[in-house]
């Protein structure tokens, strides 16, 4: 079997010559374009060291394709080739499919074998395969050059490692003549490289062309290896040194532009000499119009595949990688990120520009001209269909599009800084922006994003943080006179920034996308430092604090239904109410996730003594067991930090199920940190007035939510009803109600000849009262609810402003224990029986009520008698009832009635607040 050559289409050994540097002599192959190796070496010793281009050097040994002869016989051989291949023309079109395999795909012998299997099993009529160097080899080759020009002689051992890597791979893949041939040529190539690197070592410098020449060997070796393995599997193929075909023109921006016309001409010529239905081509490398070796820079193999796709007018270009496709966001930051089935060309290059691991933007240009789709597929998961990048069909913009399809994906760029140039002297002055960015260009900094106010008062732009000091210094120097004169007020640097970009072609001309994006960020309590949107409307870009970037990404991703609306919860107080809430969550979270896309994750539970924490969410079917056996000592500060510090979930809420005033005192700090608070704890809203007003002012100023429906009436919609009345312009005149489920139960059953103490004991036995019934009978709990409703109505009342009629006989208020109180209570039954008898004589019943008089700006708690026809007299069990008398409901009050006590209904009220929070944060309503 014919062996293969990395550079020239020859089997014979090229004539060689020697050249000297500083007394040392080097044996080099005669170059293929008649350039003398000695002239190459001399370019390292004379004045032309930095300016002379590096000619392409052939290898000592060649095989596999016909050798291009030396200059003296080129014409005659070329003529014979033209005559023999005159009728061999390159067929173009859908019969060709292009595959590109990156370094990861050919990292080992096993992976190279897998690639060969994919090639052989592809049923395309014709196929061209672009292959990168083996994983890490390109970096190893650059390292060789860096060591050599630093005069570090360890480059020799480093090159030996490169040799051993490829030798080992070849031994595992090949056998017989193929193995002998490849190893022979590999040995000759490495020997030649050692001589060339020795020249760099002596000169202490390598030009860009010479570096490109050395680095390109990785692709040459992997292409030869793969072609031999494919032939071994029985498929005839040729391999292509793409420097024979792809011609590029360097640009001033460290990029290259392909010369398509010249590349097409050279491809026709190459194919006439090497007709084949399967071609293995090198990626990354190319030639200049002067036949000087160069590269396509980083990500050049993808670019090679796109250029080849355009040259062949292929049906598709498949980029094989190690992921299932393009994600809607970085899956390392957003665990719910999804694989996008399709992307438009524009969406792909927008996402690539903003840091998404898609394709380099320039890769898309060649195929886009011919409407050739690019498929991103996972070589390690052949069952995954991947992501198709193509021109969307016109009918895809029809009616019925869902909101989530408007934004295809999100990308971020970290480690940026904002530079803000500001001053009144900028307004209306032509050329200011030009001068600013001219300075930035001279520094060599890359401007990622620009934003300018229409007032022209300021211009801000984002640059990589490592470049910002040089940019700021240059601007201050350039505009020193304007700064001293006051025409410019400052050149400000804002460090530690990140960019978040939302990308989607269907965002264009669609109202509300920006509003949804900014609303999601605001609700996650994230501040935006700068905004930019192009007139194409394909992306919206915002600059944020770096520390907020992941949380922001999660928030906006969730808002557009690319993932669940995820809320991290911390439950404080797993007692009667907290335990009931956890059990309700256990039974419902799976349903909420499936039906409403609401993902509720309990990240921690804290009691008074122990707490249990989780990084991804507790298993609620075992929460009691986890708290008992896997808990640690309770630490409220650590608990809050654990919930708040989770950057992978943007929305955090603390649910306080205690009645502890110390816990309630932290609400303000939690809200200020951006943590939502939900609670049935009445202590915060009925505590000191100044603290309450401060808490509510903070709530109104931010997008952090504070819900407390269950503080009054357990699960009844009392707070929300009152707010609805006020927000729609109604005027509250009076609120009157039975707010205590315990006292409702007691007076609903204090009938006939029953003693008051007997009914209290019954309520205590049934679990309606607090452990000490005096906490209920004192009326303090009702007074707190009256204060909460009064403050919601706009009255600035303190708890001490509410007169309370206590039902605890005065002599028993100082009893040592609850048991002692219950034992002595029957002695006072006569007084309460007398009140009942008086009410019955008048045709009334006793009810313990709280009253808010909004006209007189007063409140009170007392025992009252109501006619048996009054709604308050119709209660049963532990029901609550509240009557709202307003300007609209003056003749007939608005009544809210239902169970107002019990762990289950209170937990249900808390659960409703959690779902209301989820709705505010973007879940479907």
């Amino acid at each position: 079997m014919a062996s293969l050559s990395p550079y020239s289409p020859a089997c014979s050994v090229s004539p060689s010559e020697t050249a000297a540097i500083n007394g040392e002599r080097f044996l080099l192959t005669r170059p293929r374009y008649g350039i003398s190796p000695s002239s190459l070496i001399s370019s390292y010793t004379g004045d032309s060291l930095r300016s002379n281009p590096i000619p392409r050097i052939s290898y000592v040994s060649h095989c596999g394709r016909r050798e291009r002869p030396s200059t003296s016989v080129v014409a005659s051989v070329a003529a014979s080739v033209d005559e023999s291949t005159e009728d061999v023309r390159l067929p173009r079109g859908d019969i060709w499919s292009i595959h590109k395999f990156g370094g990861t795909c050919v990292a080992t012998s096993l992976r190279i074998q897998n690639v060969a299997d994919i090639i052989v099993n592809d049923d395309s009529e014709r196929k061209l395969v672009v292959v990168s160097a083996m994983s890490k080899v390109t970096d190893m080759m650059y390292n060789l050059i860096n060591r050599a020009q630093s005069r570090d002689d360890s480059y020799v051992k480093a090159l030996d490692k490169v040799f051993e890597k490829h030798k080992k791979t070849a031994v595992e893949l090949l056998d017989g003549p193929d193995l002998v041939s490849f190893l022979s040529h590999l040995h000759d190539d490495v020997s030649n490289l050692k001589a060339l690197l020795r020249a760099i070592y002596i000169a202490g410098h390598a030009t860009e062309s010479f570096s490109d020449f050395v680095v390109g060997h990785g692709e040459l070796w992997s292409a030869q290896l793969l072609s031999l393995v494919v032939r071994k599997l029985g498929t005839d193929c040729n391999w292509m040194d793409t420097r024979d075909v792809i011609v590029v023109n360097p640009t001033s921006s460290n990029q290259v532009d392909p010369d398509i016309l010249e590349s097409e001409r050279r491809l026709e010529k190459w194919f006439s000499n090497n007709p084949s239905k399967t071609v293995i081509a090198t990626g990354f490398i190319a030639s200049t119009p002067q036949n000087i070796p160069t590269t396509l820079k980083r990500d050049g193999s993808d670019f090679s595949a796109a250029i080849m796709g355009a040259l062949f007018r292929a049906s598709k270009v498949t980029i094989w990688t190690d992921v299932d496709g393009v994600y809607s966001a970085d899956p390392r930051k957003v665990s719910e990120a999804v694989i996008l089935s399709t992307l438009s060309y524009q969406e792909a290059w927008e996402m690539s520009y903003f840091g998404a691991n898609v394709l380099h933007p320039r890769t898309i240009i060649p195929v886009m001209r011919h409407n050739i789709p690019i498929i991103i597929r996972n070589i390690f998961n052949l069952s995954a269909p991947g992501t198709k990048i193509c021109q969307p069909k016109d009918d895809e913009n029809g009616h019925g599009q869902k909101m989530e399809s408007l934004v295809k994906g999100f990308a971020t760029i970290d480690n940026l800084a904002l530079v803000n140039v500001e001053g009144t002297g900028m307004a209306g002055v032509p050329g200011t922006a030009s001068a600013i960015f001219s300075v930035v260009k001279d520094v060599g900094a890359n401007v990622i994003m620009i934003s300018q106010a229409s007032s022209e008062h300021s211009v801000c732009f984002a640059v990589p943080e490592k470049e910002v000091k040089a940019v700021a210094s240059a601007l201050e120097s350039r505009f020193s006179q304007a700064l001293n004169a006051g025409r410019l007020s400052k050149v400000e640097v804002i460090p530690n920034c990140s960019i978040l970009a939302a990308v989607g072609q269907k965002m264009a001309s669609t109202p509300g996308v920006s509003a949804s994006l900014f609303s999601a960020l605001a609700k996650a309590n994230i501040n935006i430092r700068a905004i930019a949107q192009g007139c194409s409307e394909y992306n919206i870009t915002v600059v944020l604090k770096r520390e907020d970037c992941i949380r922001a990404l999660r928030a906006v991703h969730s808002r557009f239904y690319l993932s669940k609306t995820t809320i991290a919860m911390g439950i404080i107080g797993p007692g009667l109410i907290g335990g009931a809430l956890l059990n309700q969550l256990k039974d419902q979270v799976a349903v909420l996730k499936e039906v409403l896309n609401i993902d509720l994750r309990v990240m921690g539970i804290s009691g008074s003594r122990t707490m249990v924490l989780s990084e991804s969410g507790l298993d609620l079917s075992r929460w009691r067991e986890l708290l008992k056996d896997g808990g640690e000592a309770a630490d409220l500060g650590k608990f809050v930090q654990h919930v708040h510090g989770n950057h992978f979930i943007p929305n955090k809420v603390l649910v306080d199920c205690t009645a502890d005033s110390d816990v309630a005192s932290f609400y303000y700090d939690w809200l200020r940190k951006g943590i939502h608070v939900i609670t049935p704890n009445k202590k915060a809203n009925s505590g000191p007035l100044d603290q309450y007003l401060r808490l509510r002012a903070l709530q109104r100023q931010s997008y952090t939510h504070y819900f407390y429906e269950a503080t009054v009436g357990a699960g009844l919609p009392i707070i929300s009803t009152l707010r609805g009345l006020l927000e729609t312009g109604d005027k509250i005149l009076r609120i009157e109600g039975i707010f205590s489920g315990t006292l409702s139960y007691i007076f609903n059953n204090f009938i006939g000849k029953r003693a008051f103490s007997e009914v209290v004991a019954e309520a205590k036995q049934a679990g309606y009262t607090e452990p000490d019934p005096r906490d209920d009978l004192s009326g303090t709990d009702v007074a707190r609810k009256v204060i909460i409703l009064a403050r919601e109505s706009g009255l600035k009342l303190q708890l001490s402003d509410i007169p309370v009629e206590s039902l605890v006989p005065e002599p028993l208020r100082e009893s040592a224990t609850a048991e002692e109180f219950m034992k002595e209570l029957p002695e006072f039954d006569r007084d309460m029986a007398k009140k009942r008898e008086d009410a019955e004589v008048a045709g009334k019943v006793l009810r313990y009520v709280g009253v808010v008089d909004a006209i007189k700006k007063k409140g009170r708690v007392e025992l009252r008698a109501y006619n048996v026809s009054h709604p308050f007299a119709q209660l049963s069990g532990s029901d609550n009832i509240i009557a709202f008398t307003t300007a609209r409901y003056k003749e007939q009050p608005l009544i809210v009635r239902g169970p107002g006590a019990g762990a289950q209904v209170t937990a249900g009220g808390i659960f409703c607040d959690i779902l209301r929070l989820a709705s505010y944060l973007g879940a479907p309503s």
Side-chain angles (χ1 to χ4, degrees):
M1 179 178 178
S3 54
L4 302 175
S5 164
Y7 278 83
S8 60
C11 293
S12 61
V13 177
S14 297
S16 61
E17 61 178 78
T18 61
I21 299 179
N22 294 353
E24 296 197 37
R25 302 202 66 81
F26 301 91
L27 176 66
L28 295 175
T29 313
R30 185 176 300 279
R32 61 182 295 181
Y33 296 117
I35 305 295
S36 167
S38 57
S39 67
L40 168 67
I41 300 300
S42 67
S43 71
Y44 279 86
T45 59
D47 294 336
S48 59
L49 175 67
R50 296 184 180 273
S51 58
N52 284 2
I54 304 299
R56 182 178 301 182
I57 308 298
S58 298
Y59 288 114
V60 173
S61 300
H62 307 276
C63 61
R65 294 183 295 181
R66 287 187 294 272
E67 168 108 4
R68 181 177 300 176
S70 60
T71 51
S72 60
V73 292
V74 164
S76 61
V77 174
S80 64
V81 168
D82 289 342
E83 290 173 1
S84 63
T85 61
E86 184 176 7
D87 297 327
V88 179
R89 300 297 300 266
L90 170 65
R92 287 185 170 88
D94 290 349
I95 59 174
W96 287 95
S97 65
I98 309 297
H99 295 266
K100 178 265 175 177
F101 295 93
T104 304
C105 300
V106 292
T108 65
S109 57
L110 177 60
R111 292 184 181 180
I112 293 174
Q113 186 65 59
N114 290 340
V115 168
D117 291 339
I118 292 174
I119 296 169
V120 171
N121 292 326
D122 179 11
D123 58 3
S124 300
E125 183 177 342
R126 294 174 179 264
K127 49 213 169 189
L128 179 136
V129 178
V130 175
V131 62
S132 299
M134 293 179 69
S135 181
K136 308 298 183 185
V137 168
T138 299
D139 290 337
M140 294 170 76
M141 301 302 282
Y142 275 119
N143 184 47
L144 292 175
I145 297 167
N146 293 335
R147 292 189 186 193
Q149 65 184 356
S150 299
R151 293 194 168 94
D152 179 355
D153 58 12
S154 65
Y155 74 86
V156 177
K157 290 184 178 179
L159 181 56
D160 288 340
K161 288 182 179 179
V162 175
F163 173 80
E164 290 298 329
K165 179 180 180 71
H166 288 84
K167 176 183 176 182
K168 177 177 180 292
T169 305
V171 168
E172 292 171 348
L173 288 169
L174 306 174
D175 50 37
D178 287 347
L179 176 61
V180 173
S181 174
F182 178 82
L183 292 180
S184 173
H185 300 141
L186 176 66
H187 180 273
D188 291 341
D189 295 344
V190 170
S191 297
N192 214 14
L193 281 175
K194 282 184 179 179
L196 299 176
L197 290 167
R198 178 64 179 170
I200 296 174
Y201 177 89
I202 295 171
H205 173 75
T207 65
E208 181 180 351
S209 297
F210 203 95
S211 296
D212 289 346
F213 169 77
V214 172
V215 169
H217 283 69
E219 276 69 21
L220 293 164
W221 294 327
S222 63
Q224 292 175 75
L225 267 174
L226 180 59
S227 65
L228 288 170
V229 175
V230 170
R231 288 185 181 184
K232 185 178 178 181
L233 293 175
T235 298
D236 187 37
C237 70
N238 283 328
W239 82 276
M240 176 194 291
D241 176 358
T242 48
R243 285 178 288 198
D244 292 338
V245 173
I246 297 179
V247 178
V248 296
N249 293 296
T251 70
S252 58
S253 55
N254 195 33
Q255 294 185 1
V256 293
D257 292 332
D259 186 334
I260 297 297
L261 292 177
E262 176 61 19
S263 297
E264 286 182 337
R265 186 188 69 79
R266 293 194 181 190
L267 176 60
E268 288 279 2
K269 185 175 182 180
W270 183 92
F271 193 83
S272 69
N273 292 326
N274 303 275
S276 179
K277 290 186 176 182
T278 301
V279 179
I280 311 298
T282 57
F284 184 55
I285 55 178
S287 292
T288 68
Q290 296 77 34
N291 296 321
I292 297 172
T294 187
T295 68
L296 302 180
K297 314 309 175 188
R298 288 294 183 180
D299 300 307
S301 293
D302 288 349
F303 197 17
S304 299
I307 294 171
M308 284 299 181
L311 294 178
F312 281 89
R313 309 295 192 271
S315 61
K316 62 183 178 181
V317 175
T318 302
I319 306 292
W320 293 90
T321 181
D322 56 0
V323 294
D324 286 345
V326 180
Y327 283 87
S328 55
D330 188 338
R332 295 167 298 181
K333 300 176 181 178
V334 182
S335 59
E336 294 85 2
V338 299
I339 296 292
L340 299 172
S341 58
T342 61
L343 278 174
S344 71
Y345 295 122
Q346 292 85 354
E347 288 167 338
W349 77 48
E350 290 282 0
M351 290 184 69
S352 299
Y353 178 81
F354 287 103
N357 187 22
V358 186
L359 292 170
H360 194 283
R362 61 184 177 155
T363 302
I364 299 167
I365 296 173
V367 295
M368 185 177 175
R369 291 173 179 167
H370 302 285
N371 202 19
I372 299 170
I374 298 177
I375 316 295
I376 310 294
R377 293 196 60 190
N378 189 350
I379 193 171
F380 306 114
N381 182 14
L382 299 181
S383 63
T387 299
K388 184 177 183 179
I389 300 172
C390 58
Q391 190 64 39
K393 298 178 181 178
D394 294 337
D395 57 6
E396 289 184 9
N397 291 310
H399 298 294
Q401 286 296 325
K402 296 180 180 180
M403 186 65 174
E404 63 264 32
S405 66
L406 298 176
V407 177
K408 274 296 182 68
F410 301 90
T412 59
I413 305 176
D414 294 322
N415 302 318
L416 300 177
L418 274 181
V419 179
N420 183 42
V421 182
E422 187 175 305
T424 55
M426 293 173 58
V429 178
T432 303
S434 174
I436 291 171
F437 293 111
S438 176
V439 171
V440 177
K441 176 180 178 294
D442 292 341
V443 172
N446 181 27
V447 177
I448 308 296
M449 190 205 80
I450 303 170
S451 179
Q452 179 177 0
S454 59
S455 65
E456 302 182 62
H457 177 67
S458 68
V459 175
C460 78
F461 53 93
V463 297
E465 203 157 39
K466 62 184 179 181
E467 300 173 354
V468 73
K469 286 185 178 180
V471 170
S473 176
L475 287 171
E476 287 171 352
S477 175
R478 168 63 177 79
F479 294 103
S480 58
Q481 185 176 351
L483 288 165
N484 293 333
R487 296 194 304 277
L488 289 184
S489 57
K490 60 182 176 180
V491 174
E492 179 185 17
V493 172
I494 304 171
N496 302 320
C497 293
S498 292
I499 277 179
L500 168 65
V503 175
Q505 190 167 352
K506 293 175 185 175
M507 290 163 53
S509 303
T510 302
V513 178
S514 297
S516 297
L517 179 76
F518 299 143
S519 175
L521 293 172
K523 288 176 180 178
N525 202 38
I526 293 168
N527 183 47
I528 298 172
R529 289 182 163 177
I531 302 169
Q533 178 178 348
C535 63
S536 68
E537 302 183 66
Y538 289 164
N539 83 70
I540 303 170
T541 307
V542 295
V543 180
L544 316 159
K545 291 181 181 178
R546 184 190 305 161
E547 63 200 57
D548 292 336
C549 188
I550 294 178
R551 192 156 50 94
L553 181 62
R554 292 281 312 217
V556 296
H557 192 272
S558 176
R559 175 62 186 86
F560 286 92
Y561 308 113
L562 292 170
S563 69
K564 309 292 186 290
T565 300
T566 308
I567 302 176
M569 298 192 297
I571 309 293
I572 304 171
L576 202 61
I577 294 173
L581 173 64
L582 285 163
N583 289 332
Q584 291 178 8
L585 288 168
K586 174 195 68 177
D587 295 336
Q588 197 65 14
V589 288
V591 176
L592 292 171
K593 190 172 183 179
E594 179 67 25
V595 176
L596 295 178
N597 279 347
I598 299 173
D599 188 358
L600 302 178
R601 302 188 188 182
V602 178
M603 314 303 290
I605 303 171
S606 179
S608 58
R609 296 181 180 179
T610 59
M611 66 180 184
V612 60
L613 307 176
S614 171
E615 292 296 332
S616 58
L618 292 166
D619 178 2
L620 295 184
S621 65
R622 303 172 52 243
W623 72 265
R624 292 187 187 276
E625 176 187 341
L626 294 171
L627 189 61
K628 179 181 178 181
D629 300 332
E632 57 185 279
D635 182 332
L636 188 58
K638 180 179 179 180
F639 181 83
V640 172
Q641 179 55 40
H642 172 77
V643 176
H644 180 55
N646 189 321
H647 293 297
F648 292 92
I649 300 179
N651 309 304
K652 288 101 175 181
V653 59
L654 290 170
V655 182
D656 174 22
C657 297
T658 73
D660 194 322
S661 56
D662 289 338
V663 176
S665 67
F666 289 106
Y667 291 177
Y668 182 88
D669 290 335
W670 296 346
L671 291 169
R672 191 175 59 180
K673 289 178 179 178
I675 306 173
H676 309 289
V677 177
I678 294 174
T679 185
N681 188 341
K682 294 176 279 292
K683 298 298 174 63
N685 285 11
S686 62
L689 180 61
D690 59 336
Q691 294 181 20
Y692 167 80
L693 294 175
R694 185 165 169 255
L695 188 63
R696 290 304 306 277
L698 175 64
Q699 177 194 1
R700 293 188 181 101
Q701 290 168 5
S702 69
Y703 281 88
T704 310
H705 299 286
Y706 173 41
F707 294 148
Y708 44 86
E709 184 71 73
T711 57
V712 181
L716 296 179
I718 296 173
I719 299 292
S720 56
T721 298
L722 176 55
R723 282 191 174 179
L725 293 169
L726 292 169
E727 290 170 0
T728 57
D730 203 353
K731 182 179 180 181
I732 303 298
L733 304 178
R734 181 185 183 88
I735 304 173
E736 185 175 356
I738 298 173
F739 298 110
S740 169
T742 302
L743 294 172
S744 177
Y745 178 88
I746 289 173
F747 283 101
N748 287 336
N749 289 277
F750 184 44
I751 55 177
K753 300 299 182 180
R754 300 191 70 183
F756 184 72
S757 60
E758 178 189 347
V759 178
V760 172
E762 180 181 279
K764 186 174 187 299
Q765 182 68 28
Y768 285 115
T769 72
E770 296 292 334
D772 188 338
R774 285 173 294 182
D775 292 340
D776 299 293
L777 297 174
S778 67
T780 302
D781 183 67
V782 176
R784 288 189 180 278
K785 295 174 182 178
V786 169
I787 280 292
I788 290 171
L789 293 176
R791 289 175 175 177
E792 288 289 317
S793 303
L795 305 182
K796 296 181 180 179
L797 298 179
Q798 296 272 23
L799 193 59
S800 59
D801 297 331
I802 306 296
V804 179
E805 180 181 349
S806 176
L807 301 180
V808 181
E810 189 169 350
L812 302 184
R813 293 175 187 174
E814 303 301 326
S815 298
T817 64
E819 289 73 18
E820 185 178 335
F821 165 75
M822 291 301 299
K823 183 178 180 180
E824 296 177 359
L825 183 59
E827 299 176 12
F828 300 88
D829 282 343
R830 184 185 301 272
D831 294 340
M832 193 61 70
K834 178 68 167 60
K835 292 180 181 181
R836 181 183 61 192
E837 290 170 4
D838 292 344
E840 289 176 348
V841 169
K844 298 181 178 182
V845 296
L846 295 177
R847 295 293 184 262
Y848 194 76
V849 298
V851 180
V852 176
D853 190 333
I855 302 299
K856 295 181 179 180
K857 299 182 179 180
K858 293 181 178 180
R860 59 184 178 275
V861 176
E862 59 189 8
L863 186 64
R864 284 188 172 186
Y866 289 90
N867 289 328
V868 292
S869 60
H870 194 280
F872 285 15
Q874 310 301 315
L875 292 185
S876 61
S878 61
D879 281 3
N880 280 189
I881 188 168
I882 297 90
F884 294 95
T885 304
T886 71
R888 294 175 188 160
Y889 297 93
K890 191 171 184 179
E891 302 301 325
Q892 185 176 359
L894 174 64
I895 301 292
V896 178
R897 173 182 171 176
Q904 292 299 324
V905 293
T906 304
I910 300 168
F911 203 159
C912 285
D913 273 347
I914 293 171
L915 295 181
R916 183 152 62 110
L917 173 64
S919 178
Y920 278 39
L921 296 174
S925 58

